Amino acid sequence: MDKWNRELLDKYCREYSVGIVGFAPPGEESLVGAQLKGFPLFIHTNLRLKDAQLNAASPILRLTRSGETAWGPLPGGDWTIFQANHSTYEPLAWAYRDSLDYPANKSPLATVIQDHGRYDGIQRVLFGGGLRFWLHKLLLLDSLSYLSHGQLSLSLNRMILVDVDDIFVGEKGTRLRKDDVMALLATQQRIQALVPGFKFNLGFSGKYFHHGTAEENLGDDMLLENVDRFTWFSHMWNHQQPHLYENVTHLQLDMALNKQFAKDHGIPTGSGYSVSPHHSGVYPVHEGLYEAWKRVWNIKVTSTEEYPHLRPARLRRGFIHRNIMVLPRQTCGLFTHTIFIERYPGGREKLDESIQGGELFQTIVYNPINIFMTHMSNYGNDRLALYTFESVIKFIQCWTNLRLSSAPPLQLGERYFQLYPEEADPVWGNPCDDQRHQKIWSRNKTCDQLPRFLVIGPQKTGTTALYTFLSIHPAISSNLPSPDTFEEIQFFNGKNYYKGLDWYMSFFPASKNESSRYLFEKSATYFDGELVPRRAHALLPRAKLITILLSPARRAYSWYQHTRVHGDPVANNYSFHAVITASDSAPKSLRDLRNRCLNPGKYAQHLERWLSFYLPQQLHIIDGEQLRQNPVETLHELQRFLKITPAFNYSSHLRYDPKKGFFCQVTNEDRTKCLGKSKGRQYPPMEDRSYKLLQRYYLSHNTALVKLLKRLGSRTIPQWLKEDLTDTVMT
Ligand SMILES: Nc1ncnc2c1ncn2[C@@H]1O[C@H](COP(=O)(O)OS(=O)(=O)O)[C@@H](OP(=O)(O)O)[C@H]1O
């Protein structure tokens, strides 16, 4: 960093009490006793180190707990260590040289050092290497917390639940015997001493009860003898994946069998929690599963690894659908077939690495609420799950100050959404973008049933005319009509989104000659919907977008007239001028109307939001005046953009109707069929003062639009836009 920038940064840090976290990058050249420019601090680079320890007196330690030695070599051979010559420096972590010629009695070397700021007024924590070493990852969290004066601090509370799926399901030879169940109970008791409230959470499929060897069947019995010492949840009766049931009644019947089994065997049925085999039907959502879960089990909470995707695991999140809380579920590295340590991928060393600071350990460090998935087979044979959880919990207690506890799933769900309320709203992704999702998605559903382009509005720009004209095209189809909103589905904005993907797709039934169909959807309110671009992009990332723009002032006036005809009392009580000039102290209903009238016309602002998700090449802007005066040419341009071949010749299908004053569709009898009277309405012209006022109101937005159009490569600026801007300059 050059001197000027460096001084500016230092000044900023001193004035606002902002700390710095630094990393000494490895270099090819080895430095010995080199001074860090401008600091009484010396570094040695490219060292091999071992046996890390922490400075118990350091004020930075919060989540990290000192007192132990992390025995063994630190990963990599290019560590930097620090030697200080000033009281401002205090080591945070040490290690020893990992070299045969290095005397054993030598003092340790500082691998992480704190600068208290006594030298130049800036607090720092410097790391002698990257974050490959697990302990340094913890120290980074603590450094961030310390240097941000506690503002960037994770809570120290961690909740843990361990689900054991497939109870009763396993093949003969992989199931629990009596001694396995005794080990399960003994380990549970030991874990309870470290994690208050801990109980293994058993997910059962009753159909396979007593399907083991004679010895294993006694294991089944022993689980039931100790029914009260565990918590229980329903898996599927026959372990069938719910998305394979097209008929919800069948699904319900199978669920009811498992419930009856539970009642017959004294298994509690009120946990409100269930897990679906292979997470099928939870996400992507199979509505039948949610419905059956509610009816048979009154399920309120479930968990899955699949939302939004299995990997990366750290990005798994939760959502709420039909009042069922879906929580992220974590994998602990054990799968149904990992039952012997010799067969663990990478061997015992790999499992221990995950426990001792690796993936499993970090999962608990980073997630306040952890629901882990294991299977019955992980508790028989080598009992790898017992070893894994007891070890990781002890390791957590040894190296961290985290407070571990456990609670039933319902409580975990409530806590989760208190912590992350913003996650409650789902974001529906495209099942075909994830192979795992496709495997747990109904075979009757296909992504060909999703629209390839969207006409996004805004309202009153001619969207119905465009929709109608597109529907004449033999290769283009729109959605089925909605009973509430007619040709518009209005999915991505408003409440319909919560009805889910199955609901949306029900408007696009699969057709026989799929390949020739360009499915589209037009909902004019999408244009200015705050959440719409994000949601649309999550589901339809490759879709093309069509928008129609015309003078925002004229659009606002048309919208006002439309609202009046639809009987809006406020629009009928106030003139257009009164609406657009309503001040912020006006009654709320009037302000709301004003905003709904004016906001969609801030075109550049809304388009920028779409363009923060979609590429400019995916967006096609239609000039609303051109659509009105020359729809044939407009539609030809649109077909070129959509790359529809062969192009459909609209000239013999659209004709100007002097009576209507608009282009209309030519019927088989060579007559014209025009849009209804609500499109192309008769109303008095806008008052001049209103137009002038709106020109001024939209000036900055229209100027931004010109810039945006130029940036998008548009060679011509629409005439209405020029007029809106020119007149403003003249007045
Ligand atoms: N061919 C044709 N026929 C009828 N109307 C046409 C046509 N082309 C464009 N227009 C203009 O479309 C305006 C209605 O826009 P929308 O269909 O987008 O309105 S809505 O948002 O769906 O209510 C409508 O607005 P008003 O004139 O204010 O009624 C028309 O100006």
Side-chain angles (χ1 to χ4, degrees):
M1 191 182 281
D2 68 34
K3 193 165 170 274
W4 188 87
N5 279 335
R6 172 67 196 283
E7 278 169 9
L8 189 68
L9 181 68
D10 285 0
K11 188 165 180 264
Y12 170 81
C13 289
R14 263 190 293 270
E15 261 177 40
Y16 295 101
S17 182
V18 172
I20 293 179
V21 177
F23 297 91
E28 277 177 17
E29 185 194 359
S30 288
L31 302 171
V32 178
Q35 185 166 7
L36 266 187
K37 213 168 142 196
F39 296 99
L41 187 64
F42 299 85
I43 56 170
H44 292 233
T45 62
N46 288 332
L47 298 176
R48 285 188 178 284
L49 302 175
K50 63 176 182 179
D51 304 342
Q53 290 169 348
L54 301 174
N55 175 8
S58 168
I60 291 181
L61 296 182
R62 174 178 173 272
L63 189 149
T64 324
R65 189 169 177 274
S66 72
E68 298 292 332
T69 302
W71 298 106
L74 271 61
D78 49 6
W79 286 89
T80 297
I81 57 98
F82 303 95
Q83 275 172 342
N85 203 353
H86 195 283
S87 65
T88 188
Y89 296 109
E90 181 181 3
L92 176 54
W94 296 287
Y96 291 84
R97 281 288 292 272
D98 189 5
S99 156
L100 288 177
D101 54 359
Y102 192 71
N105 59 357
K106 271 273 196 173
S107 49
L109 307 162
T111 53
V112 186
I113 198 157
Q114 176 184 7
D115 176 349
H116 283 278
R118 291 177 206 127
Y119 179 71
D120 67 353
I122 301 170
Q123 296 206 42
R124 296 181 181 81
V125 179
L126 302 175
F127 286 77
L131 294 171
R132 284 159 299 174
F133 184 34
W134 63 270
L135 194 50
H136 286 192
K137 289 184 186 165
L138 297 191
L139 294 180
L140 175 67
L141 291 178
D142 280 347
S143 304
L144 292 174
S145 166
Y146 183 84
L147 294 174
S148 68
H149 313 285
Q151 287 184 57
L152 296 176
S153 297
L154 292 174
S155 145
L156 296 182
N157 295 325
R158 296 290 178 278
M159 301 184 89
I160 297 180
L161 181 72
V162 178
D163 286 349
V164 188
D165 291 2
D166 293 358
I167 290 289
F168 309 131
V169 178
E171 295 284 313
K172 278 185 183 152
T174 67
R175 300 164 64 108
L176 303 190
R177 294 169 319 193
K178 268 180 108 167
D179 55 343
D180 296 319
V181 179
M182 275 154 71
L184 181 69
L185 285 162
T187 310
Q188 174 171 283
Q189 203 170 357
R190 287 197 299 278
I191 294 180
Q192 277 166 357
L194 307 172
V195 184
F198 182 86
K199 277 184 180 183
F200 283 106
N201 195 27
L202 309 189
F204 60 96
S205 294
K207 182 174 177 185
Y208 302 105
F209 178 64
H210 275 179
H211 271 47
T213 61
E215 232 187 333
E216 289 170 339
N217 290 347
L218 292 176
D220 286 2
D221 292 336
M222 195 170 180
L223 283 175
L224 293 182
E225 280 157 29
N226 290 283
V227 73
D228 297 339
R229 297 180 65 184
F230 303 108
T231 49
W232 295 79
F233 65 92
S234 172
H235 218 31
M236 273 298 288
W237 158 250
N238 49 4
H239 207 256
Q240 168 96 307
Q241 299 182 26
H243 77 276
L244 299 173
Y245 292 79
E246 290 308 331
N247 181 323
V248 70
T249 318
H250 289 163
L251 184 55
Q252 270 175 235
L253 284 174
D254 277 350
M255 281 189 187
L257 287 174
N258 216 29
K259 192 166 182 184
Q260 192 54 49
F261 170 85
K263 284 184 183 157
D264 294 346
H265 292 84
I267 297 175
T269 55
S271 72
Y273 180 65
S274 186
V275 169
S276 167
H278 301 128
H279 303 153
S280 136
V282 178
Y283 185 81
V285 167
H286 184 64
E287 293 297 340
L289 171 65
Y290 284 72
E291 205 172 310
W293 259 350
K294 287 212 102 52
R295 289 214 193 133
V296 180
W297 282 98
N298 192 17
I299 293 305
K300 298 195 174 84
V301 58
T302 180
S303 63
T304 182
E305 300 176 304
E306 300 291 344
Y307 179 76
H309 299 284
L310 177 75
R311 287 185 217 297
R314 71 191 149 78
L315 296 185
R316 289 181 206 161
R317 293 289 176 269
F319 66 95
I320 300 178
H321 183 54
R322 291 183 163 215
N323 274 333
I324 294 182
M325 296 180 277
V326 181
L327 301 179
R329 206 175 196 215
Q330 306 299 341
T331 339
C332 66
L334 302 176
F335 304 94
T336 343
H337 50 275
T338 31
I339 55 180
F340 296 111
I341 191 68
E342 307 90 73
R343 290 202 221 138
Y344 188 86
R348 176 181 285 272
E349 210 178 294
K350 212 68 201 152
L351 177 60
D352 283 344
E353 200 179 294
S354 173
I355 293 168
Q356 294 167 14
E359 202 174 331
L360 178 59
F361 170 82
Q362 283 168 40
T363 301
I364 299 176
V365 168
Y366 297 133
N367 290 304
I369 292 173
N370 298 272
I371 299 184
F372 285 105
M373 169 175 77
T374 61
H375 294 90
M376 181 175 75
S377 52
N378 306 133
Y379 296 81
N381 312 291
D382 276 356
R383 300 175 192 155
L384 290 182
L386 296 183
Y387 169 75
T388 301
F389 283 101
E390 196 172 0
S391 308
V392 76
I393 285 165
K394 284 186 175 159
F395 200 81
I396 289 268
Q397 299 235 314
C398 175
W399 282 102
T400 75
N401 293 312
L402 294 174
R403 292 181 288 269
L404 302 178
S405 67
S406 189
L410 204 52
Q411 280 181 37
L412 294 187
E414 276 154 14
R415 183 87 196 101
Y416 186 89
F417 288 102
Q418 271 167 11
L419 284 173
Y420 306 108
E422 72 287 353
E423 284 184 30
D425 271 6
V427 178
W428 308 124
N430 188 315
C432 298
D433 286 348
D434 185 322
Q435 281 187 357
R436 282 181 63 98
H437 289 176
Q438 267 184 297
K439 282 196 189 125
I440 49 172
W441 205 38
S442 161
R443 282 186 208 115
N444 296 342
K445 294 172 195 164
T446 132
C447 289
D448 294 339
Q449 266 175 278
L450 289 170
R452 287 166 73 172
F453 67 95
L454 298 176
V455 177
I456 58 174
Q459 282 183 294
K460 307 317 293 177
T461 54
T463 57
T464 316
L466 182 65
Y467 167 87
T468 311
F469 299 161
L470 283 171
S471 303
I472 304 173
H473 197 297
I476 297 179
S477 310
S478 70
N479 48 281
L480 299 173
S482 147
D484 305 319
T485 46
F486 314 103
E487 82 271 12
E488 302 200 346
I489 307 180
Q490 301 186 359
F491 176 64
F492 295 106
N493 56 330
K495 291 204 183 86
N496 286 337
Y497 192 69
Y498 303 113
K499 293 180 182 163
L501 186 55
D502 287 2
W503 181 85
Y504 184 52
M505 287 182 55
S506 69
F507 287 92
F508 301 98
S511 116
K512 286 181 194 92
N513 58 346
E514 217 56 61
S515 56
S516 66
R517 292 206 323 163
Y518 281 78
L519 277 181
F520 82 105
E521 191 227 329
K522 144 346 220 190
S523 290
T525 43
Y526 285 169
F527 183 76
D528 52 305
E530 200 78 45
L531 298 171
V532 178
R534 177 168 180 242
R535 288 173 169 178
H537 186 261
L539 183 64
L540 308 168
R542 286 167 295 281
K544 295 192 170 171
L545 310 171
I546 323 292
T547 179
I548 310 169
L549 303 182
L550 47 75
S551 164
R554 307 218 176 274
R555 194 214 71 85
Y557 189 55
S558 166
W559 185 86
Y560 166 80
Q561 297 298 342
H562 166 91
T563 313
R564 269 170 81 91
V565 176
H566 278 257
D568 185 295
V570 189
N572 280 298
N573 268 345
Y574 292 91
S575 70
F576 181 60
H577 200 74
V579 171
I580 59 174
T581 52
S583 73
D584 286 342
S585 55
K588 185 172 180 309
S589 56
L590 182 56
R591 276 183 287 133
D592 287 348
L593 190 78
R594 175 199 66 187
N595 295 342
R596 283 168 51 224
C597 181
L598 296 178
N599 283 346
K602 299 169 181 174
Y603 295 148
Q605 191 177 305
H606 300 302
L607 287 174
E608 291 290 5
R609 192 170 44 236
W610 282 98
L611 289 170
S612 64
F613 289 92
Y614 284 91
L615 296 170
Q617 301 88 284
Q618 290 175 276
L619 175 70
H620 181 70
I621 301 176
I622 291 177
D623 175 348
E625 290 302 336
Q626 194 205 12
L627 171 66
R628 188 175 166 152
Q629 287 158 22
N630 189 355
V632 171
E633 180 53 28
T634 306
L635 284 152
H636 285 169
E637 282 168 15
L638 180 54
Q639 289 185 83
R640 276 199 291 280
F641 169 74
L642 295 171
K643 297 200 170 70
I644 297 182
T645 48
F648 180 68
N649 187 355
Y650 273 96
S651 51
S652 50
H653 294 272
L654 300 179
R655 187 191 300 154
Y656 182 75
D657 183 314
K659 215 163 134 214
K660 176 77 176 170
F662 286 93
F663 273 80
C664 302
Q665 189 181 340
V666 179
T667 63
N668 288 343
E669 300 83 43
D670 202 34
R671 299 215 184 103
T672 49
K673 187 170 158 238
C674 299
L675 298 189
K677 62 176 188 311
S678 64
K679 313 290 165 188
R681 277 198 183 92
Q682 301 292 330
Y683 42 79
M686 189 183 344
E687 282 183 79
D688 206 37
R689 58 176 185 149
S690 303
Y691 180 59
K692 292 253 149 53
L693 187 134
L694 287 178
Q695 279 184 302
R696 278 195 299 281
Y697 178 83
Y698 284 120
L699 178 62
S700 62
H701 302 286
N702 280 341
T703 310
L705 181 63
V706 173
K707 278 195 194 141
L708 175 63
L709 292 178
K710 286 192 177 152
R711 199 177 87 213
L712 294 176
S714 175
R715 272 181 244 119
T716 50
I717 300 299
Q719 189 55 31
W720 57 260
L721 184 51
K722 285 185 197 156
E723 278 164 21
D724 274 11
L725 287 165
T726 318
D727 286 0
T728 325
V729 175
M730 281 158 57
T731 48

Short mmCIF file of all heavy atoms in Angstrom, two decimals, residues 109 147 202 212 250 323 427 461 481 556:
data_model
loop_
_atom_site.label_atom_id
_atom_site.label_comp_id
_atom_site.label_asym_id
_atom_site.label_seq_id
_atom_site.Cartn_x
_atom_site.Cartn_y
_atom_site.Cartn_z
N LEU A 109 7.37 -19.89 19.87
CA LEU A 109 7.41 -18.75 18.93
C LEU A 109 5.98 -18.24 18.71
O LEU A 109 5.06 -19.05 18.55
CB LEU A 109 8.01 -19.23 17.61
CG LEU A 109 9.36 -19.94 17.74
CD1 LEU A 109 9.67 -20.76 16.51
CD2 LEU A 109 10.46 -18.90 18.01
N LEU A 147 -11.86 -6.72 18.32
CA LEU A 147 -11.53 -5.46 17.62
C LEU A 147 -12.79 -4.67 17.24
O LEU A 147 -12.72 -3.47 17.00
CB LEU A 147 -10.70 -5.75 16.37
CG LEU A 147 -9.29 -6.31 16.65
CD1 LEU A 147 -8.61 -6.70 15.35
CD2 LEU A 147 -8.43 -5.32 17.42
N LEU A 202 -35.09 -40.50 18.02
CA LEU A 202 -35.17 -41.70 17.18
C LEU A 202 -36.31 -41.61 16.16
O LEU A 202 -37.48 -41.41 16.53
CB LEU A 202 -35.38 -42.95 18.06
CG LEU A 202 -34.40 -43.15 19.23
CD1 LEU A 202 -34.59 -44.54 19.85
CD2 LEU A 202 -32.94 -42.97 18.80
N GLY A 212 -34.96 -58.12 11.97
CA GLY A 212 -33.53 -58.46 12.05
C GLY A 212 -33.32 -59.91 12.42
O GLY A 212 -34.24 -60.74 12.37
N HIS A 250 -53.04 -42.09 -0.34
CA HIS A 250 -52.14 -43.24 -0.08
C HIS A 250 -51.05 -42.84 0.91
O HIS A 250 -50.69 -43.60 1.80
CB HIS A 250 -51.48 -43.71 -1.39
CG HIS A 250 -52.43 -44.38 -2.31
ND1 HIS A 250 -52.18 -44.58 -3.64
CD2 HIS A 250 -53.66 -44.89 -2.07
CE1 HIS A 250 -53.22 -45.19 -4.20
NE2 HIS A 250 -54.13 -45.38 -3.26
N ASN A 323 -46.99 -23.32 7.46
CA ASN A 323 -46.83 -23.32 8.92
C ASN A 323 -45.94 -24.43 9.44
O ASN A 323 -45.94 -24.70 10.64
CB ASN A 323 -48.18 -23.43 9.63
CG ASN A 323 -48.79 -22.07 9.78
OD1 ASN A 323 -48.05 -21.08 9.82
ND2 ASN A 323 -50.10 -22.02 9.82
N VAL A 427 -37.39 -19.14 -0.58
CA VAL A 427 -37.05 -18.72 -1.94
C VAL A 427 -37.04 -20.01 -2.76
O VAL A 427 -36.24 -20.90 -2.51
CB VAL A 427 -35.65 -18.05 -2.00
CG1 VAL A 427 -35.32 -17.68 -3.44
CG2 VAL A 427 -35.60 -16.82 -1.11
N THR A 461 -49.20 -0.31 -19.59
CA THR A 461 -48.31 0.04 -20.69
C THR A 461 -48.66 -0.71 -21.97
O THR A 461 -47.95 -0.59 -22.98
CB THR A 461 -46.85 -0.28 -20.32
OG1 THR A 461 -46.78 -1.66 -19.91
CG2 THR A 461 -46.32 0.62 -19.24
N PRO A 481 -55.72 -19.52 -17.22
CA PRO A 481 -56.17 -18.34 -16.46
C PRO A 481 -56.34 -18.64 -14.97
O PRO A 481 -56.58 -19.77 -14.58
CB PRO A 481 -57.51 -18.00 -17.11
CG PRO A 481 -57.94 -19.25 -17.79
CD PRO A 481 -56.71 -20.03 -18.14
N ALA A 556 -49.19 6.84 -15.39
CA ALA A 556 -49.80 7.12 -14.09
C ALA A 556 -51.27 7.55 -14.28
O ALA A 556 -52.16 7.12 -13.53
CB ALA A 556 -49.01 8.22 -13.37
#
